Amino acid sequence: MKTAKSSLLLLPLLAAFLLAGCNKTEEPPKPNVASQGTAPASYLDKIKARDKLIVGVFTDKPPFGFVDEAGRYVGFDTDIGRRFAKDLLGDENKVEFVAVEPASRIPFLQSDKVDLILANMTVTPERKEAVEFTNPNLKVAVQALVPQASAVKSLDDLASRTIIVTTGTTADIWLTKNHPDWKLLKFEKNSESLQALANGRGDAYAQDNLVLFSWAKQNPGYRVLEQTLGAEAPIAPAVKKGNLELRDWVNAELAKLGEEKYLLKLYDQYVRKELGDDTKPESVIVEGGKWQG
Amino acid sequence: MNFDYAFILNTLPAFLKAVGVTLQVGLIAIATSLLVALFNATILVLRTPYLQRLVGLYVELARNTPLLIQLFFVYFALPALGIKVSGFAAAIITMTFLGGAYLTEVLRAGVDAVPQAQLESGRSIGLSHGQLLRYVILPQAGILSLPSLFANFIFLLKETTVVSAVAVPEILYTTKSYIALYYKTYEMLAVLTLICVLLFLPLSLLLSRLERRLQHGQFGS
């Protein structure tokens, strides 16, 4: 009995070593493979051999990534993934979508669960350390949503109140960094955060303004505070850190799609009706990847 | 990307606080669950008509719905009916609902496990129903239930991680927040695993020692 129990103690240690181990062995060789371009095990070949592109997308963030009535994953970001699959593997159905939450996007890339994240991820300096961003496809700023009747007029009014955020979003990061003493209530999913605001669990919901505009348009009784939290920033697809080969392929692909104004087509299909005609498409989408914020 | 020990050190104060929340949720839920279970077990042992049925229904309902769903229901759906409780309260309510049912079953099983011969012997020396319960059934049932009672306490403590879903700042919530902010996935999951082991293993050892001592008192060595 005694020995069995003390050896149990070693298990988590073993797990920690394994985690640390796989971390180290995987990282270094990749940049070489990509930069030389002649290595036999190219990442694109790996995708072609499996004949399927694996993409992490949102499922509860219309119009960018959501589930339609037929149960299909669709949206502005999601459909870009289909197009990538078509151009890389010749068939837009050769794509496997994996549902991700804001906080799980980077871990999914780090642990090789997906080839590519197309889930409305804002480029930030910290994230650049953790993943490889391609050129952007959208731009965004963080704003705050409050109930119409709320007494909150400006951002500073929020200092003494509770602000809802979705774990791992730009809003979460910005508020934690710039106002560490403000009270945050964090939920895993965008839909849970919105429900929490509706239930009055917080005074405001800070999130990417594109999501808030679209939600406020469909749900009367809410308004978006004018001030932004931080500056406008690019949103870009991301691949695993060091996977320059796939990054370069995506950049070339975005440039190609820019020539045929493909993103504008997706904007008209998904985003225009959510934001209204007052919003200029150029203020939201980045065609051809040509904008760095 | 290397294993960042300095980062881990910086997060320790926050994790210490989170351990406090975990223990708070866990210990309160264990206490309230035990109260619910004692109440229910009394009804079952006394074979109170109707109430006995109700207890059976409750146990089945609570044991066959996942804690996460109970939690989402209390936290996100009940406000629609005008009942709004905090995340912490929702955690205690649902964990008591679940824990109470499991512990009821444990106590019932303990009573059932008292050998029939003990009851017959008691009756043969002329003990009343109340005396039988007090001097024969309950002392033995209590000791017989202890192992699974303790196992369920540990189970409830471990279940506290589920309440991170309604923004209760316990250990899993804290871990996920750090991963989301700084992307130190491996470091934070390693810390979480280590905390769980440091937290639950000593408790488990302590309880099994206590259990042995109590059984020693009952049966001798």
Side-chain angles (χ1 to χ4, degrees):
Chain A
M1 259 332 256
K2 256 207 172 132
T3 46
K5 267 180 188 154
S6 55
S7 66
L8 268 182
L9 270 167
L10 293 174
L11 278 177
L13 267 178
L14 198 67
F17 279 129
L18 279 175
L19 282 172
C22 55
N23 191 2
K24 265 169 205 150
T25 47
E26 272 176 34
E27 285 301 334
K30 282 231 166 118
N32 293 335
V33 170
S35 57
Q36 285 163 10
T38 50
S42 112
Y43 198 83
L44 288 175
D45 287 343
K46 201 179 124 193
I47 297 174
K48 282 174 185 157
R50 115 157 74 83
D51 206 22
K52 195 172 61 181
L53 181 67
I54 306 175
V55 183
V57 293
F58 280 143
T59 55
D60 70 337
K61 215 176 168 191
F64 300 102
F66 60 104
V67 183
D68 70 5
E69 284 85 355
R72 258 166 55 102
Y73 289 173
V74 293
F76 183 89
D77 281 338
T78 312
D79 280 23
I80 293 177
R82 284 212 170 78
R83 177 62 194 260
F84 282 178
K86 187 181 166 199
D87 291 350
L88 183 64
L89 302 169
D91 183 349
E92 67 161 23
N93 294 317
K94 287 185 177 170
V95 60
E96 180 185 324
F97 290 117
V98 176
V100 296
E101 305 309 337
S104 65
R105 287 176 297 196
I106 288 178
F108 268 54
L109 277 179
Q110 287 173 332
S111 55
D112 290 313
K113 299 271 189 299
V114 296
D115 298 320
L116 180 71
I117 288 285
L118 266 172
N120 222 255
M121 184 148 66
T122 308
V123 180
T124 67
E126 296 78 15
R127 286 176 180 162
K128 268 188 193 164
E129 297 284 305
V131 299
E132 212 71 70
F133 280 105
T134 70
N135 289 333
N137 60 337
L138 289 162
K139 44 185 150 179
V140 73
V142 175
Q143 281 175 260
L145 182 77
V146 296
Q148 196 65 258
S150 163
V152 175
K153 295 272 178 290
S154 72
L155 273 188
D156 294 335
D157 293 344
L158 292 175
S160 54
R161 295 167 204 253
T162 302
I163 307 167
I164 297 167
V165 295
T166 302
T167 315
T169 54
T170 328
D172 181 13
I173 296 166
W174 191 87
L175 284 167
T176 306
K177 203 151 283 170
N178 293 284
H179 299 286
D181 49 328
W182 290 14
K183 191 168 182 295
L184 298 184
L185 204 56
K186 305 182 186 192
F187 296 92
E188 291 287 300
K189 289 178 77 84
N190 183 50
S191 46
E192 289 165 12
S193 298
L194 286 166
Q195 184 60 48
L197 181 70
N199 290 348
R201 303 218 174 257
D203 301 285
Y205 175 37
Q207 172 65 292
D208 291 354
N209 55 9
L210 300 178
V211 179
L212 298 184
F213 288 146
S214 126
W215 201 79
K217 192 157 186 290
Q218 285 166 28
N219 299 272
Y222 293 91
R223 60 190 161 87
V224 178
L225 296 184
E226 215 158 284
Q227 277 169 293
T228 62
L229 292 70
E232 194 172 50
I235 284 180
V239 301
K240 190 176 181 177
K241 188 82 190 162
N243 193 347
L244 304 182
E245 188 192 3
L246 185 58
R247 183 199 67 181
D248 293 344
W249 183 86
V250 170
N251 281 344
E253 181 71 14
L254 284 174
K256 197 179 102 192
L257 296 183
E259 280 163 29
E260 54 175 279
K261 298 272 175 234
Y262 185 71
L263 295 194
L264 186 63
K265 211 183 105 207
L266 289 180
Y267 181 91
D268 288 340
Q269 187 179 349
Y270 291 109
V271 189
R272 189 180 290 277
K273 60 176 181 288
E274 307 261 352
L275 298 183
D277 283 330
D278 308 338
T279 312
K280 286 199 188 77
E282 309 82 72
S283 71
V284 177
I285 59 174
V286 178
E287 200 76 79
K290 291 183 203 111
W291 187 71
Q292 296 302 332
Chain B
M1 206 164 58
N2 287 313
F3 208 76
D4 192 343
Y5 292 100
F7 181 80
I8 292 181
L9 276 181
N10 286 334
T11 60
L12 283 187
F15 272 108
L16 219 58
K17 231 165 135 185
V19 166
V21 176
T22 292
L23 285 178
Q24 216 179 340
V25 173
L27 295 180
I28 294 178
I30 287 172
T32 48
S33 298
L34 198 57
L35 282 179
V36 169
L38 282 172
F39 181 76
N40 286 343
T42 315
I43 290 173
L44 291 180
V45 170
L46 295 179
R47 300 188 193 287
T48 322
Y50 304 115
L51 281 182
Q52 197 183 347
R53 278 260 179 87
L54 217 59
V55 169
L57 201 69
Y58 155 67
V59 167
E60 288 312 312
L61 183 69
R63 292 204 314 169
N64 291 302
T65 47
L67 179 60
L68 187 61
I69 291 171
Q70 295 172 4
L71 201 61
F72 276 153
F73 184 80
V74 170
Y75 192 76
F76 286 117
L78 283 190
L81 306 175
I83 306 168
K84 193 174 128 190
V85 295
S86 69
F88 189 85
I92 299 293
I93 291 170
T94 51
M95 287 196 59
T96 304
F97 187 70
L98 184 81
Y102 274 95
L103 297 187
T104 301
E105 275 299 277
V106 168
L107 294 183
R108 188 195 56 73
V111 171
D112 283 354
V114 175
Q116 199 62 30
Q118 291 280 327
L119 303 184
E120 286 160 4
S121 314
R123 279 198 206 99
S124 72
I125 56 169
L127 294 182
S128 73
H129 194 69
Q131 286 172 318
L132 202 62
L133 205 63
R134 188 166 158 206
Y135 298 111
V136 181
I137 298 177
L138 289 186
Q140 298 190 62
I143 298 294
L144 287 167
S145 319
L146 274 184
S148 40
L149 210 50
F150 286 162
N152 274 282
F153 288 171
I154 301 282
F155 159 77
L156 277 177
L157 263 181
K158 286 190 291 188
E159 286 291 293
T160 55
T161 47
V162 173
V163 310
S164 65
V166 294
V168 175
E170 48 70 70
I171 48 179
L172 183 60
Y173 180 88
T174 307
T175 307
K176 283 182 170 174
S177 291
Y178 275 120
I179 292 177
L181 289 171
Y182 302 101
Y183 317 113
K184 303 282 185 192
T185 310
Y186 304 115
E187 287 86 345
M188 291 296 95
L189 287 180
V191 169
L192 180 64
T193 313
L194 205 66
I195 287 179
C196 286
V197 170
L198 291 179
L199 209 57
F200 302 140
L201 198 66
L203 266 173
S204 166
L205 293 177
L206 187 79
L207 288 182
S208 61
R209 170 163 291 198
L210 194 67
E211 180 188 315
R212 241 173 305 168
R213 180 157 297 186
L214 286 170
Q215 275 178 343
H216 181 81
Q218 165 85 355
F219 299 113
S221 55

